[in-house]
Amino acid sequence: MATDLLKRLGLADHPRVRIDGAGGDGWAVTENPATGKALAAVKLDDTASYERELAGAVETFKRFRSVPAPVRGQIVRAIGEEFRTHKKDLGELVALEVGKIRAEGEGEIQEIIDIAEFAVGLSRQLPGQIFPSERAKHRILEQWLPLGPIGVISAFNFPAAVWAWNAALATVCGDVTIWKPSLLAPLTALACNGIAERVSTSMGHPGVFRLVMGLDSVIGERLVADRRVPLISATGSCRMGKRVGQVVADRVGRCLLELGGNNAVIVAEDADLKLAVPAIVFGAVGTAGQRCTSTRRLFVHEKIADDVCRRLVDGYKQVMGKIGDPLSAGTLVGPLINAASVEGYKRAVDEAKKQGGTVLIGGEAVVREGNYVQPTIVRATAGNKLPIAREETFAPILYVFTFKTIEEAIELQNGVEQGLSSAIFTNNLLTSEAFLAADGSGSDCGIANVNAGTSGAEIGGAFGGEKETGGGRESGSDSWKVYMRRQTSVVNYSGKLELAQGIKFE
Ligand code: UN1
């Protein structure tokens, strides 16, 4: 079945792929997390092939920046169409390689189609501004120019969409994309980059979409330190992002960091639990808790805490019977990405118990082939203290706390190092406004939702977070600006030279 899929996607006889999974020097083996078995082996880059890609990217950029933006938009439009055609197969490949259920695998490809549409519209905008000059018959203009070859470092959990958020915008902005994907999902990268590059080449623009695959120590470090790459957009752990940030700062480059989250939902006393409970279950259990936006902490008003916990446990009981092969109909929870993640899950559950937490449901690895664990709810009992909840464990563990006042709930939710996504469930205007307060005293996260969960952001808004999440913004709104450079111009049409600030220099 996997071989047929790889054939349909042109990966079976790809020069960089061995479908017998035979590894060896310079090859990485990619596994199916549902079985732990090899899917294929993929050829890695070495320093010589890296050099060729980078030199090629610099040359391509010099040509590509002169292609008018609306024409660049047409390339992205055609790429989006191609992803539409292959949505089912690509969704299945994502499911096979990283263990997402089929619906979520296809959802990820839908994000590519959505950002392509957004980028096409943007290709006829990229708006600059005009400001009044203090001098007569002068004009101040601001325009946005292509930036250069950009580096995109992506994580296993969104092995396709996050590249596309960057690549679609970078392309309409006139940049060339150099993608370093996670070695846990190289087939998805080969397939997606291959589609984009094929379409672009068929429209007369080869080399706009480039891939460099390899170990962080060989390829990652080189890309991040490379002065030919003015922007590094990196998604992954806070540890990885801090390293990227330091190296890029050292060469005074530009970074877009989208790092870890430790996302919370607040359930106010008046919340509509028919909305809140399923949103929490999806946020905590979806993608087996491996989204940056997964719900990891829950703050419930003390008066309704027992009721909410009961309802959540009921919801989780239904989910427990639906853990299994991500590609089987009816599965809701697939495996974790690898055995190390299962160990991380076990460590966190053990730690939570030691710290006085009560496991309400779950708490065990699932004994079967593959990297499966039970979705787990831990309730903090000893005075709301549960230090393990400050850490982002990439697994379906939800920690539950209680609060008395909305101010206390906001303080608790803000009291961690990460600041990606947050949500409140309430029908009370004053409560939701406290959460979104215009003076910044509400949620300190990049995303703050009302009556909608922490995960599953649409591409139209800017995506990213504060504090150790890194401060970067991707996809919608004005995130495109990071892929361009700004130029301010004074144009004098007075026929006389007049200095600013009234200076006379005669
Ligand atoms: C991520 O986990 O890095 O908002 C991205 C969401 C998805 C993207 C998550 N649209 O959950």
Side-chain angles (χ1 to χ4, degrees):
M1 181 187 79
T3 311
D4 287 347
L5 176 70
L6 298 190
K7 274 194 188 135
R8 287 202 299 280
L9 289 168
L11 293 171
D13 44 17
H14 193 287
R16 291 187 80 157
V17 178
R18 287 180 184 156
I19 50 169
D20 62 2
D25 214 18
W27 291 75
V29 177
T30 173
E31 289 174 358
N32 178 349
T35 61
K37 300 218 168 73
L39 276 172
V42 174
K43 179 144 183 45
L44 300 179
D45 279 288
D46 54 22
T47 49
S49 63
Y50 172 87
E51 240 341 282
R52 278 197 301 278
E53 281 306 317
L54 263 286
V58 170
E59 283 313 306
T60 307
F61 172 66
K62 285 185 193 151
R63 285 194 303 275
F64 193 58
R65 65 183 171 192
S66 304
V67 176
V71 178
R72 304 193 294 247
Q74 289 308 302
I75 300 170
V76 174
R77 187 185 60 75
I79 292 170
E81 283 305 312
E82 201 61 12
F83 274 94
R84 216 182 270 281
T85 310
H86 296 292
K87 177 174 165 182
K88 198 165 173 298
D89 279 348
L90 288 167
E92 190 171 327
L93 180 61
V94 169
L96 263 181
E97 209 173 21
V98 303
K100 288 189 186 195
I101 62 171
R102 191 188 290 273
E104 291 194 58
E106 289 184 17
E108 175 147 5
I109 308 307
Q110 186 60 46
E111 280 202 51
I112 300 182
I113 297 164
D114 294 344
I115 194 71
E117 287 182 357
F118 179 91
V120 177
L122 185 64
S123 73
R124 293 204 178 254
Q125 302 180 54
L126 303 174
Q129 299 192 75
I130 301 178
F131 302 98
S133 167
E134 66 192 40
R135 290 167 280 183
K137 300 204 172 182
H138 283 61
R139 181 180 289 135
I140 302 174
L141 308 175
E142 187 178 85
Q143 63 169 341
W144 292 89
L145 311 171
L147 184 66
I150 67 145
V152 177
I153 297 174
S154 63
F156 79 85
N157 67 331
F158 274 81
V162 170
W163 158 75
W165 294 349
N166 287 279
L169 298 191
T171 304
V172 299
C173 292
D175 301 338
V176 170
T177 301
I178 304 157
W179 181 12
K180 187 191 119 21
S182 161
L183 290 186
L184 297 168
L187 292 175
T188 302
L190 276 173
C192 292
N193 197 72
I195 287 174
E197 181 57 19
R198 252 190 325 276
V199 170
S200 185
T201 300
S202 75
M203 295 172 81
H205 302 287
V208 176
F209 300 93
R210 291 170 183 268
L211 201 56
V212 289
M213 293 195 288
L215 302 174
D216 288 346
S217 55
V218 183
I219 298 301
E221 289 283 340
R222 204 165 283 263
L223 178 64
V224 170
D226 201 316
R227 291 179 184 275
R228 292 167 293 187
V229 184
L231 168 70
I232 298 287
S233 171
T235 302
S237 65
C238 293
R239 191 184 50 78
M240 179 279 293
K242 282 179 191 170
R243 172 78 192 146
V244 170
Q246 279 165 7
V247 176
V248 175
D250 198 51
R251 62 178 172 95
V252 202
R254 195 185 289 180
C255 253
L256 191 173
L257 297 176
E258 196 254 286
L259 311 175
N262 192 348
N263 318 295
V265 168
I266 296 174
V267 183
E269 192 182 349
D270 70 293
D272 183 344
L273 298 185
K274 289 195 299 303
L275 307 184
V277 170
I280 296 162
V281 176
F282 176 70
V285 168
T287 328
Q290 298 173 108
R291 291 191 187 212
C292 297
T293 51
S294 290
T295 308
R296 310 203 180 281
R297 299 177 299 140
L298 183 62
F299 298 99
V300 192
H301 191 277
E302 59 177 9
K303 287 202 185 134
I304 57 167
D306 290 343
D307 183 24
V308 169
C309 284
R310 240 187 332 267
R311 290 177 191 233
L312 283 172
V313 168
D314 283 349
Y316 271 53
K317 278 186 187 150
Q318 292 171 39
V319 168
M320 288 297 178
K322 295 180 175 174
I323 304 173
D325 178 0
L327 287 169
S328 298
T331 299
L332 290 179
V333 185
L336 295 183
I337 188 69
N338 54 24
S341 287
V342 176
E343 288 311 308
Y345 162 89
K346 286 188 194 157
R347 254 198 320 275
V349 173
D350 283 350
E351 203 51 43
K353 285 187 202 158
K354 276 193 213 136
Q355 293 173 359
T358 308
V359 175
L360 301 185
I361 187 165
E364 306 283 337
V366 178
V367 186
R368 58 172 281 171
E369 189 184 49
N371 308 308
Y372 291 91
V373 300
Q374 291 177 335
T376 301
I377 303 176
V378 179
R379 187 161 174 187
T381 31
N384 249 356
K385 294 265 181 297
L386 203 55
I388 186 71
R390 303 179 65 78
E391 289 171 29
E392 180 191 37
T393 302
F394 241 45
I397 307 173
L398 180 68
Y399 304 107
V400 184
F401 304 87
T402 54
F403 67 87
K404 287 188 174 59
T405 67
I406 192 64
E407 291 73 22
E408 181 193 359
I410 291 171
E411 199 179 315
L412 286 168
Q413 95 107 34
N414 289 349
V416 291
E417 303 306 328
Q418 311 87 341
L420 180 55
S421 187
S422 60
I424 194 165
F425 281 82
T426 181
N427 284 333
N428 182 320
L429 178 72
L430 300 185
T431 305
S432 76
E433 287 296 303
F435 187 67
L436 302 179
D439 64 358
S441 61
S443 166
D444 66 0
C445 292
I447 298 170
N449 295 334
V450 177
N451 292 335
T454 59
S455 70
E458 301 175 22
I459 60 91
F463 182 91
E466 303 300 333
K467 303 192 287 186
E468 287 198 0
T469 301
R473 291 296 186 278
E474 290 173 303
S475 83
S477 182
D478 66 352
S479 304
W480 60 271
K481 289 179 176 171
V482 76
Y483 306 93
M484 303 199 89
R485 64 186 172 88
R486 184 195 309 239
Q487 186 168 69
T488 306
S489 312
V490 169
V491 179
N492 171 8
Y493 57 99
S494 70
K496 294 190 294 252
L497 187 67
E498 185 184 342
L499 301 179
Q501 292 88 46
I503 292 173
K504 298 282 176 233
F505 197 76
E506 281 156 4

